[in-house]
Structure formats: structure tokens, C-alpha cells
Amino acid sequence: MEKTIAGSPRDDCVSLRHSRPTERRDAVAPREPACLAVIRGDGIGPEIVGEALGVLDAVAEKFGHKFIYKEAPMGGNAIDRFGVPLPEESLKTCLASDGVLLGAVGGPKWDAQPPENRPEKGLLKLRNGLSVYANLRPAKMFPVLSAACPLRKDIAERGIDFIVVRELVGGVYFGEHRTETRDGERTATDVMSYSEHEIRRIAHVAFRTAEGRRKKVTSVDKANVLTTSRLWREIVEDVAKDYPDVELNHMYVDNASMQIVKEPGQFDVIVTENMFGDILSDEASQITGSIGLIPSASLGEPGRPGLYEPIHGSAPDIAGQDKANPIGTILAAAFLLRYSLGMETEAQAIEKAVSVVLDEGWRTGDIMEEGKQLVGCREMGRLIRERV
Ligand code: IPM
Ligand code: MG
């Protein structure tokens, strides 16, 4: 089903592309030219996005595609220029695109902003505006980087390859937030709520993802304490009936955080609510070696653009020094090709190029080990580009 998006008039590229979390990814037909919204963001954002665009250009040249890039300012730089973290125009550009590539936003410069105007708020508004409810965050260790894994050697050697499917536009992130004075002192409240359809749609994404993998879903909740978790569990069990080939188990979030470092090999697909997913996906990324390597895809309904970003932050401490690892963003660009543009071969070409560069021993600072070759952000980008 194709649908145009209201309020997003486009001349050169009307968005008809599909992110299909609930369909097989090879069902997306490649179309030309692809129109990509680009959010460079703050801190190291512009550097890593620059390298990812270079890799996309190499793909375009090799496979004969045309990518049109549209800049969409967001984050602290947008606050500086337009007074708000997500200008209306940027959201429109993203809505009208075939996919959005994002670096990272935020930094100490904007820490004093009121909560409603922080750079992170721009990101949350964007996720909500795009209705990208399913956030896919893989935790997969490159075998050549097993030395960078902080876990015991025998655990690392058994391999780590799972994916966190995080609900992204509900829960406490999007509930009411308020501070009031009660009995002469301030009391703060954040509301966490989930409705059935919100749980059902993310559960479907998890089960379909598992169908294409090792067919195991672990649903993570806190059903021994939270009402939202009890509803979560009930709905996930109901959805599981549609996927008889996929095994389902439930785990409390505290136990899950322990199991991820104790026996990560037991996981295939973890599905969980927004905040638990935020926390567990950071933990999961770290055991693969470096947070700098992990891409993510945020997907909504068919016909809507997906959002693609590395899972790390804007790292203001190393911004502008050519030290950042661009691999997470480059792999996010591969996800964009796969999930939003239906370009599986091209996505694999990028993933292969990253593997080759790592096999050859090239390393940015965050994954450097003895005997390897240290390179900066630009050089890492160039090496990957050359091997596409
Ligand atoms: C992430 C980040 C964001 C989140 C922040 C920047 C709002 O930590 O993408 O994981 O909490 O979702
Ligand atoms: Mg996070």
C-alpha cells in the first residue's frame, strides 16, 4: 500500500518509500531517486554523519543509485539558530523523506535549557512525529573485536548476537511530567502508561524479527511490581499465539540486566518498553566492545520514513578532533538502505566493508588494541568507502 503523507509537499521526491517492520524486508521495492533527510546534530554528529554520507555516495556510485540529501537541523545547533530543538521545517523535511539519517544531539552548552527546550526533547519529538515505535538495536560482537569485550573470555567466545526491540514512543518518556508543591515541598511525577495497541504492535515486530533469526523472544518487564508490565505480559502472550514457531519467555528487567553480562548467548530477541530498552541497550552495546559500533533503526508503519542513528551520544569531549568512531553511523546508513529503501545487497556491501576494515586491523581510539593501526574518524570513513 502506498500512501502520501499529508502536509509534506515535495517537489523532487515525494515520499512513497516504506519502512516495513511488520513485513519481510525484501518486500520493499527499491525506488529512485531516494530522498534522505540528514540531521548532523551536535558534538561529533557532523563528523560521523559526514563519513556515513561519503559511504552512501560510494554505494550510489557503485550500484548506480541517486540519493538526494536534505538537511534538517535539530538539537543544540537548532536551538542556537532557531530557538527550538526541532524546527517545524525540519520535521516536515523528515516526514517527506524516504528515511532519516541522524548523528547525535546534545551537549553541556545546552544543559541550562528548560526541560521543554533541551536538545533531547527535539529527538523525542522527532521520534513521536515520525511515529517510529519500534527501535531495533543489535548487540552483535565482531569476532575480531572479542578482545574489546569486557566479559570473561569464555563468555565472549561463546558469541554475542542478539537484538533489543525497544518500544520507542510510549511509556514514561511520553507520559505526563509535572512538579508541584505538596505539603510545603516539591513533588515530581512522571506517568508511565501503555495501551494494548502500543504493546501489540511492538510485540509483532519482535516476533517477526525472531522469525528471521533464532526464533526466540525474551519479553522483559517488571510484572512483579508494575501494572503496565502486567498488561505488557498479557498482550505479548496473546501475540505469541500468532507465531507458534517462536519460543517466548519472560524475564524481569533486573534479572535481564544481570543475565546480559552473565550469559548473553541465551538471548536472540529482547522486547521491552521504552525506558527498560534505553538502559538495557546501553548495557548490551558495551559488551560487544564499544558503543561506537552499534547502529539502530527506528521504524513505524509501512509508508512512513524510518529513523537511523548510532546509539551513542554526541561525545562533546572529543568533538571536532577527528577521533570519533564513525562505524555506528555508517552501519546505521546500511540499515537505512535495508529497511527503508529495500536495498539489501547494498546494505550488505557496507557491512562487509566495515568487517574487512576491522579484519585488516584499522581501529579508532575507542576500540584500539596493541598491534593494531590507529586511525581517525575521516580515515576510518575513507577506508570503508574504498572497500564498498
Ligand atoms: C537513546 C538516548 C535517548 C533516549 C536520549 C538522548 C533522550 O539515550 O537514544 O538511547 O533516552 O532515548
Ligand atoms: Mg540511551
Side-chain angles (χ1 to χ4, degrees):
M1 185 191 70
E2 292 192 341
K3 56 181 179 186
T4 45
I5 290 158
S8 55
R10 295 300 304 268
D11 38 346
D12 47 356
C13 44
V14 175
S15 179
L16 296 170
R17 193 91 54 207
H18 308 248
S19 310
R20 296 177 189 253
T22 53
E23 294 176 30
R24 293 190 58 86
R25 63 190 182 213
D26 52 11
V28 187
R31 298 180 43 155
E32 306 285 345
C35 183
L36 309 181
V38 175
I39 302 175
R40 295 177 194 263
D42 309 315
I44 58 170
E47 298 165 62
I48 54 181
V49 168
E51 296 316 315
L53 294 183
V55 171
L56 284 175
D57 286 341
V59 166
E61 200 180 318
K62 174 161 181 192
F63 294 90
H65 298 305
K66 185 168 162 48
F67 300 133
I68 298 164
Y69 306 124
K70 294 259 165 179
E71 300 283 335
M74 187 181 93
N77 65 90
I79 296 174
D80 290 347
R81 287 161 64 198
F82 309 102
V84 288
L86 180 64
E88 200 53 42
E89 203 48 43
S90 292
L91 179 57
K92 270 193 192 160
T93 301
C94 293
L95 280 167
S97 74
D98 294 313
V100 183
L101 184 68
L102 162 65
V105 295
K109 182 176 175 196
W110 303 283
D111 275 351
Q113 288 286 328
E116 268 311 298
N117 217 45
R118 288 182 63 94
E120 292 84 352
K121 200 71 187 181
L123 179 57
L124 298 184
K125 280 190 174 147
L126 179 66
R127 288 173 178 169
N128 200 35
L130 293 171
S131 306
V132 284
Y133 60 83
N135 181 221
L136 274 43
R137 297 188 164 188
K140 184 171 176 168
M141 193 169 63
F142 289 91
V144 288
L145 294 181
S146 62
C149 172
L151 299 184
R152 233 173 41 218
K153 206 161 171 271
D154 60 305
I155 299 175
E157 273 163 4
R158 285 201 287 277
I160 300 171
D161 181 8
F162 65 94
I163 182 161
V164 178
V165 176
R166 169 189 176 192
E167 200 292 324
L168 201 62
V169 294
V172 71
Y173 273 60
F174 291 91
E176 190 197 343
H177 308 287
R178 65 167 193 276
T179 309
E180 69 213 314
T181 301
R182 277 193 219 155
D183 301 328
E185 64 172 354
R186 282 173 306 154
T187 300
T189 306
D190 297 291
V191 176
M192 178 173 192
S193 80
Y194 268 104
S195 58
E196 290 186 37
H197 82 275
E198 288 176 311
I199 303 168
R200 198 170 289 281
R201 64 187 183 182
I202 189 76
H204 277 290
V205 174
F207 282 101
R208 296 209 183 212
T209 303
E211 277 186 324
R213 297 176 45 101
R214 300 195 308 278
K215 300 190 169 49
K216 185 177 172 191
V217 169
T218 303
S219 174
V220 170
D221 62 35
K222 190 70 186 170
N224 49 348
V225 177
L226 301 177
T227 320
T228 44
S229 285
R230 284 192 279 271
L231 182 63
W232 181 278
R233 213 173 252 228
E234 198 185 310
I235 302 297
V236 170
E237 274 178 2
D238 193 40
V239 171
K241 292 180 194 143
D242 292 349
Y243 304 88
D245 294 348
V246 180
E247 179 195 335
L248 168 68
N249 70 328
H250 301 280
M251 204 177 269
Y252 295 141
V253 62
D254 47 352
N255 185 26
S257 75
M258 188 172 74
Q259 295 298 331
I260 284 174
V261 288
K262 190 166 170 248
E263 200 52 67
Q266 71 184 284
F267 296 112
D268 180 22
V269 175
I270 290 179
V271 62
T272 192
E273 67 88 38
N274 204 344
M275 190 163 68
F276 296 162
D278 177 46
I279 298 166
L280 294 183
S281 62
D282 268 30
E283 185 190 15
S285 73
Q286 196 52 45
I287 62 168
T288 67
S290 168
I291 196 169
L293 298 168
I294 313 290
S296 86
S298 304
L299 308 174
E301 292 303 328
R304 306 299 297 262
L307 173 63
Y308 302 86
E309 50 179 316
I311 80 161
H312 60 72
S314 59
D317 53 320
I318 57 164
Q321 298 170 35
D322 194 30
K323 283 185 181 162
N325 184 348
I327 292 180
T329 319
I330 289 170
L331 292 174
F335 273 9
L336 191 159
L337 297 182
R338 170 174 296 133
Y339 292 118
S340 278
L341 306 188
M343 297 179 179
E344 177 62 28
T345 310
E346 292 82 341
Q348 282 181 21
I350 295 180
E351 288 162 352
K352 182 82 204 300
V354 169
S355 280
V356 169
V357 166
L358 293 174
D359 284 345
E360 289 170 356
W362 305 101
R363 300 284 187 273
T364 43
D366 56 324
I367 48 174
M368 182 59 189
E369 20 166 343
E370 223 185 290
K372 304 297 179 195
Q373 192 61 41
L374 182 68
V375 292
C377 181
R378 280 198 297 275
E379 181 63 5
M380 183 56 98
R382 192 190 65 78
L383 288 162
I384 294 169
R385 213 155 54 229
E386 263 184 2
R387 283 153 185 74
V388 159

